Amino acid sequence: MEGAALWQGTALAGILFWIVSSSYLGVTRKLRSFLQPWVSHHVETGIPIILQIQSHRLGFLDVFFSGLSCVVSVPFYTAFLPLLFWTGHGKLARQMTLLMAFCDYFGNCVKDVVSAPRPASPPVRRVTATKDEEDNALEYGLPSSHTLNTVCLSGYLLHYILIHTQIQVAYVNFIGLALACLLVALIGLGRIYLGMHSLVDVLGGLFLGLGILALWLTVDEYIDSFVVSGQNVTSFWAALSFLLLFAYPTPELPTPSFEYHTAFNGVALGIVAGLQQTYHQFHHDSVPRLFSPELTIPVFVGRMLLGIPTILVVKFCSKALAKWTLPVVSNTLGIPIKSTAYIPTLKGSFKAKNTDKLKQGGYLQKLFSQHEAFDVDTGIRFLQYAGLAWSVVDLVPSLFSYLSL
């Protein structure tokens, strides 16, 4: 118990020290001044390559690469991972979820540290077939998140299948690896063809993805063991999630990247908190899996028909509860807040409206008064997705058990 508390406290203290020291030393600004010119130069000089690829324009290719991008996008994984939990593949589902959260955080951190542009459009033709793609186009370029996520998740999925099916046939391993490489190549080519990324962005996503995958394959069993049977797991993860919100670098200009990270940060916390309560009931290695006599296709369809509406209701309720409680708590503590989207009455700075009150407040109020008003939407989004993820592994499986699904 003492050993666990010691390393957890050390880890959190290390992150806190990094937040303070990097802010004081201006680490993000210095890294950007070094990396941004180099990356921007390669983005600009890579435009002829993009135009050459786009010269083979076909309507079929627009549809194919747009559809492929949707299949490996964050919204797709958000919809797919709950189904993986409900098919009985709990270990794979939690590993893929936490790996996705790590990829999303690290990749978006790099994007906003470098703050390098995407290829200029025009002359590049940019194809944004969905609202998600339109939002992606507002982010910075390096690295390509689609490429990075595809490398990590397809690589880990291949590793998991080969290890847990104990396939020893060499040609099967080769075919699996070839298919994973083909998928990564098509995603990278598609991001260039769609005008969303330059070659340097895709290569950056490829190499960063390989590095993250190699790291994850060395620590995945330790992380899984800690999540399902460790000590102080929920409290540690909650503190970690909170600190990671502040450790995120400030981009040169605002982008949606921080919003994406906040959502998946909340998902990771919700999954971990829920597993701590229900692992031995619903997510251990002996639970029935899809296509087994206990979990047939009709039963799984019933799970989807019950589970998907339930998690959407929980997401809505979590958002409503957070929109009510967070402003009350912030006002009580004298923390200056604003809302850019969720609460119209808080648009603009709370700080400016409460200057006299803050001057008369205590230490905590004066401390926060030195900071620009916090965007309460961050907390709302975080709690909203934490509630959704918790319901995936706790509430919904409890309903399955109650209804014998």
Side-chain angles (χ1 to χ4, degrees):
M1 182 71 176
E2 292 181 358
L6 178 61
W7 76 257
Q8 290 169 11
T10 302
L12 295 176
I15 296 173
L16 181 60
F17 175 77
W18 165 253
I19 294 172
V20 175
S21 60
S22 62
S23 177
Y24 177 77
L25 297 174
V27 172
T28 297
R29 185 178 65 256
K30 293 176 181 177
L31 285 174
R32 183 178 298 140
S33 66
F34 174 72
L35 295 171
Q36 189 187 66
W38 185 87
V39 176
S40 299
H41 171 73
H42 282 78
V43 170
E44 185 176 349
T45 57
I47 287 179
I49 298 175
I50 302 174
L51 295 177
Q52 179 64 32
I53 293 174
Q54 291 187 335
S55 66
H56 304 284
R57 177 183 178 183
L58 293 172
F60 163 75
L61 292 179
D62 286 6
V63 173
F64 175 73
F65 284 127
S66 294
L68 196 60
S69 293
C70 291
V71 170
V72 296
S73 64
V74 171
F76 173 82
Y77 291 126
T78 305
F80 170 73
L81 291 173
L83 303 183
L84 200 56
F85 276 105
W86 300 339
T87 59
H89 296 277
K91 183 174 183 178
L92 176 61
R94 58 182 177 264
Q95 282 292 318
M96 294 278 277
T97 302
L98 296 179
L99 176 57
M100 183 68 200
F102 184 75
C103 289
D104 191 66
Y105 185 83
F106 188 81
N108 286 338
C109 278
V110 175
K111 278 181 187 289
D112 285 350
V113 165
V114 179
S115 293
R118 291 177 183 264
S121 175
V124 169
R125 181 180 67 98
R126 184 165 295 157
V127 181
T128 53
T130 64
K131 179 63 168 62
D132 180 58
E133 282 287 77
E134 292 176 3
D135 292 340
N136 288 338
L138 300 176
E139 295 183 284
Y140 289 112
L142 180 84
S144 165
S145 296
H146 283 71
T147 306
L148 188 157
N149 294 339
T150 304
V151 169
C152 289
L153 296 179
S154 63
Y156 187 81
L157 179 62
L158 176 63
H159 164 79
Y160 184 91
I161 292 174
L162 294 179
I163 292 297
H164 289 271
T165 57
Q166 298 181 341
I167 297 177
Q168 302 296 329
V169 183
Y171 79 88
V172 175
N173 296 350
F174 175 79
I175 292 174
L177 181 61
L179 289 175
C181 291
L182 177 61
L183 177 61
V184 172
L186 287 174
I187 291 298
L189 178 62
R191 300 313 285 168
I192 296 175
Y193 174 85
L194 296 174
M196 295 295 289
H197 285 287
S198 61
L199 180 60
V200 69
D201 299 336
V202 171
L203 291 177
L206 173 64
F207 289 116
L208 284 175
L210 290 172
I212 292 173
L213 177 61
L215 172 64
W216 196 264
L217 291 178
T218 63
V219 301
D220 62 328
E221 293 296 335
Y222 298 103
I223 293 175
D224 194 65
S225 177
F226 172 69
V227 167
V228 301
S229 60
Q231 298 172 338
N232 311 319
V233 177
T234 302
S235 57
F236 169 75
W237 210 282
L240 175 65
S241 300
F242 180 77
L243 288 176
L244 288 178
L245 292 175
F246 288 91
Y248 192 88
T250 302
E252 192 170 53
L253 295 172
T255 72
S257 298
F258 181 70
E259 298 177 11
Y260 300 153
H261 145 65
T262 302
F264 245 98
N265 196 5
V267 166
L269 175 61
I271 292 294
V272 170
L275 285 171
Q276 279 289 295
Q277 302 297 319
T278 62
Y279 172 73
H280 294 290
Q281 291 94 333
F282 307 124
H283 304 290
H284 55 84
D285 293 337
S286 301
V287 297
R289 296 183 176 178
L290 186 61
F291 303 122
S292 66
E294 298 86 358
L295 185 53
T296 60
I297 292 292
V299 172
F300 178 64
V301 171
R303 287 188 170 192
M304 287 195 297
L305 293 176
L306 174 63
I308 293 175
T310 300
I311 65 174
L312 293 178
V313 169
V314 171
K315 179 184 176 184
F316 173 81
C317 293
S318 299
K319 181 178 180 179
L321 184 61
K323 287 170 66 175
W324 176 72
T325 57
L326 288 183
V328 172
V329 172
S330 300
N331 290 342
T332 302
L333 297 176
I335 300 174
I337 58 173
K338 62 181 179 181
S339 174
T340 54
Y342 289 152
I343 307 177
T345 57
L346 287 178
K347 288 188 176 180
S349 174
F350 174 96
K351 175 181 169 183
K353 300 176 183 178
N354 294 273
T355 303
D356 294 336
K357 189 180 294 185
L358 288 170
K359 287 180 179 177
Q360 298 173 9
Y363 175 76
L364 184 62
Q365 291 145 308
K366 291 179 180 178
L367 175 64
F368 281 108
S369 70
Q370 303 304 314
H371 195 285
E372 182 183 353
F374 290 93
D375 192 344
V376 75
D377 292 1
T378 298
I380 294 171
R381 188 176 297 109
F382 176 81
L383 294 177
Q384 170 187 4
Y385 281 90
L388 180 149
W390 165 81
S391 69
V392 168
V393 296
D394 192 330
L395 176 62
V396 171
S398 298
L399 294 177
F400 292 163
S401 178
Y402 180 76
L403 297 175
S404 300
L405 287 176

